[in-house]
Amino acid sequence: MLTEGHMRWGDGFVIVYDITDRGSFEEVAPLRSLLEEVKKPKNVPLVLVGNKSDLDHVRQVGTDEGERLAAEMACAFYECSACADEGGAVAEAFHELCREVRRRKAVQGKARRRSSTTHVKQAINKMLTKISS
Ligand SMILES: Nc1nc2c(ncn2[C@@H]2O[C@H](COP(=O)(O)OP(=O)(O)OP(=O)(O)O)[C@@H](O)[C@H]2O)c(=O)[nH]1
C-alpha cells in the first residue's frame, strides 16, 4: 500500500502489476498520475514490472501491452517472477531504478549549478553597471 506520504519521501518507484490480473495493470496509469501530482519535481524515476511471469498459461496482460505502457511512461519495463527469478530480472529492475535515480540527480545538480552561476553573473553585472554609472 503506497500512501501519499511514501510518495513524497521516495526518490524512485517500482510499479508492479500482476500479469495474471488485468485489474492490477489498469491501476498502473492512475497510480502514475497520482505520483506525478504528488511528487515535485515531476518526472519521477520509475520502473514498470509485470510480475508472475511463471504463470504464463493464465496470463491476462500481454508483454507488448506492458512495453507500450512503459514507453508511454518513459520508463524501463521488466517482466519477472518473484517466485522463479531465474534470469535475475527482479534485481535488474531495482538496479535500473537506482541508475535512473542517479542519472536524474546528476542532471538536476547540473541545472542547479548552472542557475546559481547565472545568478552570480547577473549580480556582478548589476554591480559593475552601478559602479560605472
Ligand atoms: N506464481 C507466482 N506467485 C507469486 C509471485 N509473486 C507473488 N506470488 C504469490 O501471489 C500471492 C500474493 O502475493 P503477495 O506478495 O501477498 O502480493 P499481493 O500484492 O497481495 O498480490 P495479489 O494477492 O496477487 O493481488 C502469494 O501467494 C505469493 O506467493 C510470482 O512471481 N509467481
Side-chain angles (χ1 to χ4, degrees):
M1 179 75 189
L2 190 61
T3 64
E4 289 191 16
H6 290 121
M7 289 184 192
R8 280 196 202 91
W9 172 87
D11 282 333
F13 299 85
V14 178
I15 299 185
V16 183
Y17 65 90
D18 176 349
I19 66 155
T20 72
D21 175 3
R22 179 157 290 278
S24 70
F25 181 68
E26 284 165 0
E27 283 173 34
V28 173
L31 181 57
R32 198 267 183 141
S33 302
L34 184 59
L35 272 170
E36 290 287 306
E37 240 172 68
V38 170
K39 288 297 287 180
K40 285 177 191 72
K42 299 208 176 294
N43 280 322
V44 58
L46 291 178
V47 170
L48 180 63
V49 173
N51 188 36
K52 304 196 185 179
S53 60
D54 56 304
L55 299 180
D56 200 46
H57 53 292
V58 281
R59 175 192 283 278
Q60 291 182 0
V61 184
T63 304
D64 56 331
E65 293 178 271
E67 284 169 348
R68 258 200 311 275
L69 183 56
E72 279 168 25
M73 293 174 13
C75 72
F77 172 66
Y78 299 88
E79 270 194 0
C80 68
S81 166
C83 288
D85 186 30
E86 282 151 16
V90 174
E92 181 46 31
F94 281 92
H95 283 140
E96 175 52 25
L97 181 65
C98 293
R99 286 193 289 268
E100 189 56 24
V101 168
R102 271 195 241 115
R103 278 194 290 266
R104 302 273 177 109
K105 283 194 184 236
V107 170
Q108 281 161 8
K110 259 188 205 161
R112 249 197 313 274
R113 277 198 297 281
R114 207 176 303 131
S115 91
S116 63
T117 313
T118 310
H119 283 137
V120 171
K121 274 186 193 158
Q122 281 169 347
I124 292 172
N125 279 340
K126 250 190 201 169
M127 269 169 45
L128 292 175
T129 315
K130 267 193 187 161
I131 291 166
S132 63
S133 63

